[in-house]
Amino acid sequence: MNNRPQLEDLRLFCELVRQRSFSAVARELGVSKALISKRIALLEQNLQTRLVHRSTRSLRITEQGDIVHQWAQRILDNVDQMTEAISSHRAEPAGLLRLCCSSGFGRNCLAPALSALAKRYAALEIQLELLDRPVDLVGEGFQLDVRIGTVQEANLISRRIAGNARVLCATPAYLERRGAPSSLQALAAHDCIVIRERDQDFGRWSLRGPQGLETVRVGGPLSANNGEVVRRWAVDGHGIILRSIWDVGPSLASGELVRVLPDYAQEADVYAVYPSRLSHSAKLRVCVEFLEAWFKASAPQQG
């Protein structure tokens, strides 16, 4: 009797670790919850260890389950790379690509790029999740994160795929009503619409200007955790925002918004971020190179 774990069961277990729910995995795969439970039980039997503890309200991965998960990810990555290696004669990448991005950039910029990517490489299966929170790329099973801002995690590889900067802007009506700030520190006396996104310190803006890097603590009556909401409030004249050129570029071009303190900007380049274990993935390389070319061709003006 063959009691070795099956690859598909290992893949199923990794999905269970990501979802933390038998029901969620069953819905995503379009199978019954009973089948998922049966396959995980068989995997536990083959490995002779308990992988999960279940209750009516929660699912917890055991210590042995964590070890199996780490090895399963390596095994599945190696199998995927082996498949890529022996299929290198094919002109296009194939298989699943799970990636994530913040919601605003994901909807407005990344989604059109992925649409073009899907048209070019029909054998590629793309799953995109929009998340306005810090992401555990490895733990959550993502292969690629398209991220604005620098990367701190030592176990990740980052590649700059597009230039970008955050700039200060507001409506002409707001500046006429409140006056234009004459220095970065003067922002403390203005209505600033602050946002809590992945890499932004809430209410603390650091920008580079003529005197180098400066920081100011800002605030105002409005704040949100969504960049599109913040931009809408700025267009409605509620205050000053710090937003990426990709987001406010059209509004600046039309005059709907104008730059505030135009000598100041915050570095916020766009990076493709992926686990170091995937550094030799041909599929990932092709996708990252495609996105880099796409963003280069469609980059907004920073005027």
Side-chain angles (χ1 to χ4, degrees):
M1 178 178 178
N2 181 11
N3 62 353
R4 294 175 183 268
Q6 301 297 305
L7 283 177
E8 287 310 309
D9 289 346
L10 292 176
R11 200 179 298 276
L12 191 65
F13 178 62
C14 288
E15 187 65 22
L16 181 62
V17 172
R18 183 176 74 88
Q19 299 271 12
R20 301 286 169 147
S21 167
F22 280 84
S23 298
V25 173
R27 284 194 301 270
E28 180 158 322
L29 299 181
V31 298
S32 69
K33 180 180 174 182
L35 177 61
I36 302 298
S37 182
K38 178 180 178 181
R39 297 309 305 180
I40 295 300
L42 183 60
L43 180 62
E44 290 179 323
Q45 179 182 331
N46 288 339
L47 294 172
Q48 298 183 349
T49 190
R50 177 65 66 90
L51 301 177
V52 297
H53 286 304
R54 283 181 281 179
S55 69
T56 55
R57 295 186 176 181
S58 65
L59 181 150
R60 182 173 62 83
I61 308 302
T62 66
E63 182 177 351
Q64 293 300 310
D66 284 332
I67 294 173
V68 171
H69 178 237
Q70 293 173 21
W71 277 101
Q73 285 189 310
R74 296 176 196 172
I75 292 168
L76 293 170
D77 288 339
N78 286 336
V79 169
D80 289 343
Q81 291 182 39
M82 177 192 69
T83 303
E84 291 179 2
I86 64 176
S87 303
S88 59
H89 63 280
R90 293 189 310 193
E92 63 178 44
L96 176 65
L97 178 66
R98 292 194 69 244
L99 67 163
C100 58
C101 186
S102 59
S103 60
F105 189 82
R107 275 194 293 268
N108 298 318
C109 297
L110 182 58
L114 293 179
S115 176
L117 179 66
K119 289 180 180 179
R120 176 171 295 185
Y121 302 115
L124 193 64
E125 180 185 352
I126 299 171
Q127 291 183 1
L128 171 65
E129 291 194 28
L130 303 180
L131 302 168
D132 288 325
R133 60 169 174 80
V135 176
D136 179 0
L137 207 59
V138 175
E140 297 183 56
F142 290 108
Q143 297 159 293
L144 178 63
D145 182 8
V146 179
R147 183 183 305 184
I148 295 177
T150 56
V151 178
Q152 306 296 334
E153 300 94 327
N155 64 327
L156 300 179
I157 295 175
S158 63
R159 172 170 170 170
R160 181 183 177 276
I161 58 174
N164 181 48
R166 295 189 182 104
V167 298
L168 298 161
C169 51
T171 60
Y174 172 84
L175 296 174
E176 184 177 350
R177 184 174 74 251
R178 295 291 304 275
S182 58
S183 68
L184 196 68
Q185 299 308 315
L187 290 174
H190 275 265
D191 291 337
C192 294
I193 308 172
V194 293
I195 183 170
R196 190 188 301 275
E197 282 188 314
R198 288 190 183 187
D199 68 331
Q200 294 201 54
D201 190 349
F202 191 72
R204 183 175 177 268
W205 288 353
S206 296
L207 296 95
R208 191 168 298 278
Q211 306 304 316
L213 188 65
E214 297 182 48
T215 300
V216 59
R217 178 67 63 176
V218 299
L222 294 177
S223 63
N225 68 341
N226 181 275
E228 292 173 293
V229 170
V230 165
R231 185 186 61 80
R232 180 69 258 172
W233 285 344
V235 170
D236 289 342
H238 289 288
I240 299 172
I241 58 172
L242 177 64
R243 292 299 294 161
S244 291
I245 285 292
W246 64 261
D247 185 18
V248 297
S251 294
L252 292 173
S254 69
E256 187 177 43
L257 294 173
V258 296
R259 289 280 297 269
V260 174
L261 298 172
D263 290 337
Y264 286 84
Q266 184 182 83
E267 295 179 5
D269 290 340
V270 182
Y271 289 88
V273 184
Y274 47 93
S276 56
R277 68 174 191 271
L278 298 180
S279 59
H280 298 296
S281 169
K283 172 177 62 181
L284 193 60
R285 174 182 53 78
V286 168
C287 295
V288 170
E289 289 176 352
F290 180 92
L291 292 177
E292 184 175 17
W294 173 275
F295 290 131
K296 182 178 181 180
S298 59
Q301 297 298 313
Q302 299 192 22

